[in-house]
Amino acid sequence: MRVRGATILAPVALLALAACTNEARTLGPSLPQTAPAGNADPRVPAYQANLYQVAQGGRYFMWYGCSGCHDDSARGAANLSDGRWRRGGGFADVYRAIARHRPAPAYEATVPVEQLWQLTAYVRDLPAHHPEKRRRVTLDQEGEPQGSQWSGPQ
Amino acid sequence: MKPDPSLLEQLDRTWRDPPGLWGFLTTVDHKRIAARYIVTALLLMFLAGMLALDMRWQLSVPENTRMTPQLFNESFSLHGSTMLFLVSVPLMEAMAFWLVPLMLGARNMAFPRLGAFSFWLYFGGVLTLWVAHAIDITPDLGWFEYPPLSGPAYSPGHRADIWAQMITFTEVAALAASVNVAATILKMRPPGMTLARMPVFLWAMLIASIMTMFSMPAVMLVTSMLIADRLVSTQFFSVAAGGDAVLFQHLFWFFGHPEVYIIFVPATGFVSSIVETFSRRVLYGHSVLVLAILSIGALAFGLWVHHMFAVGLPRLGNDFYTAASMAIAVPAGLQIFCWLATIGTGRTWFPTPMLWILGFVATFVIGGLSGVMTASAALDLQLTDTYFIVAHLHYVLIGGAIFPLFGAFCYWYPKATGRLMSERWGKVAFVLIVGGFNLGFFPMHLLGLEGMPRRVYTYPAHMGWDMLNQIATAGSAIAVTGGLVFAANALCSYWRGKPSGADPWGGSTLEWATASPPPAYNIPFTPRVDSLTPMWNGGAPLPALDGIAIDTREVLVSSVTDAQPLYRQKSAGPSIWPLVAALAVSAMFIASIFTPWAIPIGALPIGAALTGWFWPNRPRAKIGALEAAP
């Protein structure tokens, strides 16, 4: 057992060094209370590189009705998964494009700050998503109050 | 029959492993494989027990901040998954691996290399879950991960995949082990041990193995469907696309309920062996015990819905499962009374293994009674997802399976090591564990009735749950202390214990016929059996059957019902291929978490490993039916 342990521990140690924090889940009070200070804001990786935060952004993307226009068949600027960003692809750039959305509404008036962070992380992650996976996720979330189906607080 | 020293020497040359590391990696000795299983599972029991203690610490006072909700979720998921999939079931299989050939007077299992493969694959499952935990990808949805919560939408990342794939590992390992145990019991019995003269222990292991074969495929299927939903976006559990989320629960519990009995039935085997030996009489109602185990095995497949009463299935269906669940109290009660009758009418003495049996009877009966309560669909709606369930499941699993297992550990420890465990420290551990356990878990019944939900990381101060929670925490701390005493006793006795000799307890079955610890070839000769208790023959030497080769690995194969000797069978020797095959399978399982291409590509090394494994090792036949064409 001891010898086998050593052969196994080596790759494990390597893995641990490269420890993936992208699975981390912090449930608690929201961290950011303000908009990102720039594309290099130190708070960005906690959202952009975290699978849970990105997935939460995906839920809000439907709750707030974003998916109404920005679906898979959207063209031009409305297509968010083609990797081209009309107003810049940095975190703060995309955040601003959502917060001061044109055409109206400007979502900073209705969406809490942390959810805007999560939405931004999701939108910037979209080019990496497979369409069939996105459709599958949408199917599971169909029962949630989203876009025009929302009927007020429960 | 007194064996000749030169015969023993020849047998040892034939059956011993190569020395050193190579021998360690290639061994097919069922005793070494089983010992690995047991040591690994006991270490995991310790780790998962520490998780439990940590959770009790968190719950000892209201609004404690020892754990975040996420850490609590991860802790109970890891605790449950480890205890159910990596500790209980493998431990029972390991006991079968260790004891079945000895109790049959056989030299090895029916499929020696499959046994080695089973362990390596199980070890792969252990590493999958615990290495993932070390790098913070711990499953966090409990020991059954229902979709849609575990589906692609609500469980991003790989936490749920790790859980699902760990199950695939352990279930393939369990199937391999069960096939092996069942084939060994059915086809390798010594002459004279007809089905009617088979000890209850062997019946229990046979029935548990067959149950494993029928139930495990359901959970492998369902976790594979979950992985497919998550990896390649299939829609098995997507309600909006015509899938069915409840399907997961049905398939999971179609495995999950029999699993409880796959853990409990071997324990009834331990109890029967221990009770018989220490009561100094043949078990009261041998046939009743066997039939009770058989009917538990059959009923176990017909009551999985009692885990799902709150799902909203049709009322009539729920009633049926209520009836089936309550029916299982009948065979379980018959067993208990048979054991009590044996104890009451024998010349009984009470060393540590027997104390564990008393602890088992008391605790398991309480667990059984709360089981009858939760079996009622109407009452279950009130009790489900409360601490009442936590109390019930620990009473039946720890009281019904782990206490007998501890008893079995003390009972067969001298056989495995050649030394006796300390009786005094054994009694201390017994009192601490059984007392601490009851102190820790009994208050949970009341907490559940008072409405405390399970799987909550904390609770507010004014609920009136503080005192009972503190008692529960104190109880679990005492039980863990007892566990440490037990482990220390086992470790110290390994070096310092009193030498036990071959048969310290005056046991009734064949494993006591050989030396302690048993040599690589198990027993010098094939015994002939003419009663249920072959060792209780008034001290006469066991009659033996000769004619099995000693210069090559050979075993006796006999007929299923009458155990008539049929033919001599070559038994596979040490081989590296089981380990290679397990590594190839592990690589494929792990990679398939990340990409579907792992399955076709990963099949190639598996095919190569199996080719090496089954490479013919004798020349082609020149005569007879298998004659090679020129």
Side-chain angles (χ1 to χ4, degrees):
Chain A
M1 196 72 60
R2 218 174 306 130
V3 181
R4 189 181 159 79
T7 53
I8 282 157
L9 278 181
V12 170
L14 278 178
L15 268 175
L17 280 179
C20 354
T21 50
N22 64 353
E23 297 264 354
R25 250 187 209 205
T26 43
L27 309 175
S30 69
L31 295 164
Q33 309 286 337
T34 54
N39 289 334
D41 190 304
R43 292 170 294 176
V44 168
Y47 284 79
Q48 194 63 65
N50 185 284
L51 294 162
Y52 169 69
Q53 304 289 2
V54 169
Q56 282 301 96
R59 292 176 76 184
Y60 298 136
F61 192 78
M62 294 202 288
W63 285 22
Y64 290 115
C66 310
S67 49
C69 305
H70 299 285
D71 62 357
D72 282 346
S73 57
R75 291 172 182 282
N79 185 331
L80 300 177
S81 53
D82 58 5
R84 285 177 297 163
W85 307 100
R86 190 161 294 186
R87 292 176 214 158
F91 196 95
D93 303 330
V94 176
Y95 186 99
R96 199 178 317 111
I98 300 170
R100 313 213 176 120
H101 191 262
R102 281 194 313 247
Y107 285 101
E108 65 186 350
T110 48
V111 181
V113 173
E114 185 179 28
Q115 295 181 8
L116 281 172
W117 279 75
Q118 290 164 327
L119 274 167
T120 306
Y122 174 73
V123 167
R124 291 184 74 230
D125 210 48
L126 267 178
H129 292 200
H130 290 294
E132 66 271 13
K133 177 81 178 263
R134 226 164 38 232
R135 268 198 297 280
R136 178 66 181 77
V137 168
T138 312
L139 282 171
D140 264 8
Q141 294 175 339
E142 201 128 278
E144 293 185 14
Q146 40 184 272
S148 54
Q149 295 172 26
W150 193 67
S151 54
Q154 302 283 321
Chain B
M1 183 165 151
K2 204 84 183 138
D4 177 32
S6 71
L7 168 99
L8 297 186
E9 209 173 291
Q10 175 62 50
L11 272 173
D12 187 55
R13 261 201 303 282
T14 306
W15 285 89
R16 72 177 166 218
D17 288 317
L21 175 67
W22 187 249
F24 179 84
L25 296 176
T26 58
T27 184
V28 292
D29 184 337
H30 70 99
K31 300 180 290 296
R32 287 185 85 178
I33 295 167
R36 276 170 208 182
Y37 251 121
I38 291 173
V39 168
T40 315
L42 288 178
L43 276 176
L44 286 170
M45 188 193 273
F46 170 73
L47 290 175
M50 287 295 116
L51 284 172
L53 198 58
D54 202 5
M55 286 185 282
R56 282 313 319 167
W57 178 6
Q58 161 69 16
L59 291 173
S60 57
V61 288
E63 302 189 33
N64 201 350
T65 52
R66 155 79 193 111
M67 283 188 181
T68 62
Q70 175 66 19
L71 182 60
F72 192 85
N73 287 352
E74 292 177 14
S75 299
F76 71 69
S77 306
L78 195 60
H79 170 83
S81 303
T82 301
M83 287 297 198
L84 265 306
F85 294 108
L86 301 178
V87 175
S88 315
V89 174
L91 265 177
M92 298 302 169
E93 281 158 8
M95 294 299 280
F97 251 72
W98 204 86
L99 280 162
V100 162
L102 289 173
M103 219 176 260
L104 293 174
R107 299 245 153 95
N108 205 343
M109 301 290 287
F111 309 116
R113 294 182 182 180
L114 193 63
F117 176 76
S118 165
F119 171 76
W120 293 121
L121 209 56
Y122 157 74
F123 197 56
V126 171
L127 291 180
T128 304
L129 186 64
W130 281 82
V131 170
H133 174 58
I135 55 178
D136 197 14
I137 316 180
T138 319
D140 53 359
L141 306 174
W143 80 275
F144 44 88
E145 310 210 327
Y146 289 167
L149 183 58
S150 59
Y154 299 105
S155 290
H158 289 299
R159 291 175 191 270
D161 297 319
I162 294 285
W163 175 82
Q165 209 57 297
M166 176 274 294
I167 292 191
T168 316
F169 269 103
T170 54
E171 306 312 313
V172 175
L175 281 172
S178 305
V179 169
N180 211 345
V181 170
T184 309
I185 295 179
L186 288 177
K187 291 301 289 177
M188 291 176 63
R189 291 203 309 283
M193 193 189 275
T194 60
L195 282 185
R197 289 201 200 118
M198 213 161 86
V200 176
F201 178 91
L202 292 173
W203 274 109
M205 288 304 180
L206 175 65
I207 293 165
S209 300
I210 294 172
M211 290 175 73
T212 307
M213 285 180 239
F214 282 119
S215 68
M216 296 272 174
V219 75
M220 270 176 65
L221 175 68
V222 79
T223 53
S224 302
M225 286 155 93
L226 178 65
I227 292 177
D229 262 19
R230 298 171 50 83
L231 185 68
V232 293
S233 303
T234 53
Q235 297 164 348
F236 291 114
F237 307 123
S238 170
V239 179
D244 188 351
V246 180
L247 175 66
F248 182 97
Q249 300 188 26
H250 279 300
L251 285 174
F252 185 89
W253 290 115
F254 183 77
F255 142 81
H257 199 83
E259 146 135 325
V260 177
Y261 293 100
I262 288 168
I263 296 168
F264 172 66
V265 163
T268 64
F270 304 155
V271 175
S272 302
S273 290
I274 298 173
V275 163
E276 182 168 76
T277 290
F278 293 109
S279 301
R280 286 278 169 274
R281 59 155 291 171
V282 181
L283 275 175
Y284 178 87
H286 173 89
S287 319
V288 176
L289 275 167
V290 170
L291 290 173
I293 297 177
L294 264 173
S295 54
I296 287 178
L299 281 171
F301 284 90
L303 35 76
W304 76 91
V305 168
H306 71 208
H307 296 267
M308 299 165 60
F309 282 152
V311 167
L313 298 171
R315 278 286 174 80
L316 189 62
N318 283 353
D319 292 349
F320 173 80
Y321 287 95
T322 292
S325 309
M326 290 181 174
I328 212 146
V330 175
L334 283 173
Q335 284 184 310
I336 297 274
F337 284 116
C338 282
W339 291 320
L340 290 180
T342 314
I343 294 173
T345 57
R347 282 173 291 135
T348 313
W349 50 306
F350 291 91
T352 322
M354 205 55 187
L355 292 182
W356 283 109
I357 300 310
L358 298 185
F360 150 77
V361 170
T363 315
F364 180 70
V365 166
I366 298 178
L369 290 177
S370 63
V372 174
M373 291 169 74
T374 48
S376 150
L379 186 55
D380 183 71
L381 279 182
Q382 179 68 23
L383 297 176
T384 192
D385 278 338
T386 70
Y387 260 85
F388 193 88
I389 301 297
V390 179
H392 164 69
L393 75 92
H394 284 94
Y395 263 85
V396 284
L397 283 178
I398 297 185
I402 301 298
F403 287 178
L405 182 83
F406 285 165
F409 190 92
C410 301
Y411 177 60
W412 279 297
Y413 184 92
K415 179 55 40 190
T417 63
R419 286 174 188 279
L420 290 162
M421 284 170 78
S422 153
E423 279 288 310
R424 182 193 307 159
W425 288 107
K427 289 190 169 109
V428 171
F430 168 78
V431 169
L432 287 175
I433 293 178
V434 175
F437 169 83
N438 280 292
L439 190 66
F441 285 92
F442 197 85
M444 292 187 192
H445 292 112
L446 307 175
L447 281 171
L449 292 172
E450 286 174 9
M452 179 166 167
R454 70 193 281 206
R455 296 182 171 176
V456 287
Y457 84 107
T458 192
Y459 51 93
H462 54 81
M463 303 300 290
W465 300 334
D466 310 17
M467 180 58 118
L468 289 171
N469 269 301
Q470 268 168 31
I471 295 173
T473 303
S476 23
I478 294 171
V480 167
T481 314
L484 294 178
V485 171
F486 189 95
N489 185 8
L491 280 176
C492 293
S493 305
Y494 187 78
W495 289 283
R496 302 230 181 121
K498 231 171 40 193
S500 64
D503 188 7
W505 311 118
S508 57
T509 39
L510 288 176
E511 76 273 25
W512 302 105
T514 183
S516 309
Y521 50 85
N522 280 353
I523 188 162
F525 48 83
T526 304
R528 211 156 47 77
V529 172
D530 49 14
S531 75
L532 271 170
T533 51
M535 291 296 285
W536 290 347
N537 55 356
L542 278 175
L545 175 105
D546 204 1
I548 311 287
I550 57 168
D551 54 348
T552 168
R553 290 182 178 230
E554 207 170 73
V555 292
L556 177 71
V557 174
S558 51
S559 65
V560 170
T561 41
D562 298 332
Q564 295 284 351
L566 292 180
Y567 48 85
R568 299 173 306 158
Q569 165 83 35
K570 180 181 172 299
S571 181
S575 162
I576 193 68
W577 288 110
L579 174 59
V580 176
L583 284 173
V585 172
S586 304
M588 190 263 255
F589 282 170
I590 299 287
S592 67
I593 289 177
F594 302 98
T595 164
W597 288 106
I599 293 163
I601 295 172
L604 300 178
I606 297 177
L610 292 183
T611 309
W613 183 333
F614 294 113
W615 199 258
N617 51 8
R618 62 180 172 198
R620 307 212 58 167
K622 298 281 195 300
I623 48 163
L626 296 174
E627 180 187 357

